[in-house]
Amino acid sequence: MSKVDVIRALYDYNEHANNRILDAAAKLTANDLVRQHGASFDSVEGNLGHVVGAQMAWLQRWTTGGNTKPTTQLGAISGLEALGSAYERSQADLRQFLGSLTEERVEGVLAYSDSRGNAFKRVLWQLLLHVANHGSYHRAETAMALTAMGHDPGDLDYLSFSRSSETACER
């Protein structure tokens, strides 16, 4: 299995896990959505906005080398409907980008700037793994808050996903 295949499988999982969290969050009241739980971005809404904002920011970096908006601004999305729409757009854009990847490209060094204008260079596959891992971290916080409010999103492990997924490779 190539690096591109592994990355695509990881992002299939990323989308699946995001959708599980969004489905559980859809059962919350408006007050529960913004209730502070001590997570990195305070609430379910804050964490969901941060994850999708980061996905959008990194996709901009991968395609243009920089951000047009700060990540905090991209993640400042209010309401479950707006969050759901942002995830749909982000995930569709990620699928398109991932479909264009080649082995040569993922091994290439990408020069990019963060939202503060700081310049960095990294191998693209490392950045791709970072974003998926970053989403897992904040989804875990969000899942804990959802479960505490009685809306468990279920098993979010990659292995559970791969057992039920037709896209999983067994090698």
Side-chain angles (χ1 to χ4, degrees):
M1 181 179 268
S2 71
K3 279 185 183 168
V4 170
D5 291 335
V6 170
I7 289 166
R8 287 179 182 149
L10 183 59
Y11 275 83
D12 286 345
Y13 160 74
N14 186 68
E15 183 172 341
H16 162 82
N18 284 340
N19 289 339
R20 293 282 299 266
I21 292 291
L22 288 167
D23 289 346
K27 299 171 186 164
L28 297 177
T29 66
N31 286 338
D32 285 341
L33 186 65
V34 299
R35 183 185 302 163
Q36 293 195 1
H37 286 278
S40 293
F41 294 87
D42 298 324
S43 65
V44 169
E45 180 184 66
N47 267 26
L48 289 172
H50 176 71
V51 170
V52 75
Q55 286 182 177
M56 292 185 291
W58 279 104
L59 185 59
Q60 286 178 354
R61 291 172 187 155
W62 299 333
T63 57
T64 67
N67 290 38
T68 56
K69 294 181 183 177
T71 306
T72 53
Q73 187 179 355
L74 289 168
I77 303 168
S78 297
L80 197 59
E81 188 175 322
L83 283 163
S85 294
Y87 272 91
E88 285 178 25
R89 284 189 314 274
S90 174
Q91 291 174 164
D93 291 346
L94 282 169
R95 282 192 303 274
Q96 183 178 0
F97 174 74
L98 295 167
S100 73
L101 288 179
T102 63
E103 290 298 320
E104 182 178 71
R105 184 156 183 210
V106 298
E107 293 290 349
V109 173
L110 177 73
Y112 66 94
S113 297
D114 67 11
S115 57
R116 293 183 184 109
N118 299 313
F120 298 94
K121 289 182 182 180
R122 277 285 179 263
V123 177
L124 181 58
W125 70 261
Q126 293 173 331
L127 298 172
L128 289 158
L129 293 181
H130 163 72
V131 173
N133 187 58
H134 174 264
S136 291
Y137 174 84
H138 290 297
R139 276 192 304 272
E141 291 181 316
T142 307
M144 193 167 111
L146 288 164
T147 301
M149 291 186 282
H151 300 288
D152 183 354
D155 190 346
L156 297 175
D157 283 343
Y158 180 84
L159 197 54
S160 176
F161 162 74
S162 70
R163 287 182 185 134
S164 64
S165 172
E166 293 181 6
T167 63
C169 285
E170 295 181 30
R171 293 187 191 207

